[in-house]
């Protein structure tokens, strides 16, 4: 059965590749593509940290903290009930994604290889984009709720109103 243009079998295979549980036993925010991409970036950040030369513990720690903040704030925003609370957490998640990108830029100078950098920036672009295929995310303060059945408004990623 296909729901909203998605193939459930394909999503389960992708989730298994990522090490995620079957989506039927996941919380609503865990099923969101933006959340899954943020977890994928967190795993990539861990690989980057492992490959850093000695003497870069400060950079490694900054990347770890920023990368962890993205999925944590997405999840926490989904649990909030007011638009203002949702907006605050989604804005923080977006800011942490941007901070992570700046850490990759600094590390790109000579500490990480081009492949990891490219994949990391690709994931961060998808996490923080306002348009395109990654616009289907919960990071809109207009989203009514991240719990329960998904609506098209739950899946917008427009960021805070301007």
């Amino acid at each position: 059965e296909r729901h909203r243009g998605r193939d459930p079998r394909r999503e389960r295979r992708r989730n298994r590749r990522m090490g995620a549980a079957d989506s039927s036993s996941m919380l609503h925010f865990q099923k969101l593509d933006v959340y899954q991409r943020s977890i994928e970036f967190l795993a990539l950040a861990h690989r980057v940290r492992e490959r850093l030369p000695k003497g870069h513990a400060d950079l490694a720690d900054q990347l770890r903290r920023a990368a962890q903040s993205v999925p944590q704030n997405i999840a926490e925003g989904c649990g909030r009930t007011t638009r203002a609370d949702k907006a605050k957490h989604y804005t923080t998640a977006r800011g942490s994604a941007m901070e992570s990108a700046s850490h990759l830029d600094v590390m790109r100078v000579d500490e990480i290889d081009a492949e990891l950098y490219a994949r990391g920036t690709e994931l961060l672009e998808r996490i923080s984009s306002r348009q395109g295929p990654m616009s289907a995310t919960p990071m809109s303060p207009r989203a009514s709720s991240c719990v329960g059945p998904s609506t098209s408004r739950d899946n917008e990623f427009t960021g805070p109103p301007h």
Side-chain angles (χ1 to χ4, degrees), residues 34-81:
V34 69
Y35 180 83
Q36 292 173 7
R37 296 297 72 79
S38 68
I39 294 297
E40 189 177 347
F41 177 75
L42 182 59
L44 181 134
H46 183 70
R47 287 193 305 274
V48 167
R49 290 176 42 237
E50 288 175 341
R51 295 180 185 180
L52 282 176
K54 299 271 189 233
H56 295 296
D58 57 334
L59 268 177
D61 188 54
Q62 289 173 341
L63 178 62
R64 178 188 58 82
R65 289 171 186 249
Q68 286 177 340
S69 176
V70 178
Q72 290 168 340
N73 277 287
I74 292 169
E76 191 164 353
C78 283
R80 299 299 177 167
T81 57

Side-chain angles (χ1 to χ4, degrees), residues 26-136:
M26 298 168 75
L27 296 171
H28 182 70
F29 71 85
Q30 292 171 316
K31 297 176 187 177
L32 298 168
D33 192 59
V34 69
Y35 180 83
Q36 292 173 7
R37 296 297 72 79
S38 68
I39 294 297
E40 189 177 347
F41 177 75
L42 182 59
L44 181 134
H46 183 70
R47 287 193 305 274
V48 167
R49 290 176 42 237
E50 288 175 341
R51 295 180 185 180
L52 282 176
K54 299 271 189 233
H56 295 296
D58 57 334
L59 268 177
D61 188 54
Q62 289 173 341
L63 178 62
R64 178 188 58 82
R65 289 171 186 249
Q68 286 177 340
S69 176
V70 178
Q72 290 168 340
N73 277 287
I74 292 169
E76 191 164 353
C78 283
R80 299 299 177 167
T81 57
T82 68
R83 291 172 66 165
D85 278 347
K86 287 180 183 298
K88 178 181 131 189
H89 289 286
Y90 298 151
T91 300
T92 301
R94 177 177 295 223
S96 294
M98 297 298 109
E99 180 183 351
S100 295
S102 73
H103 294 317
L104 289 180
D105 288 342
V106 169
M107 293 174 188
R108 185 179 185 199
V109 172
D110 63 2
E111 284 101 9
I112 64 170
D113 62 53
E115 183 181 325
L116 280 176
Y117 176 82
R119 181 64 182 148
T121 54
E122 175 191 338
L123 286 167
L124 291 168
E125 286 171 2
R126 291 178 65 190
I127 291 166
S128 63
S129 71
R130 291 177 182 262
Q131 298 174 354
M134 284 303 291
S135 64

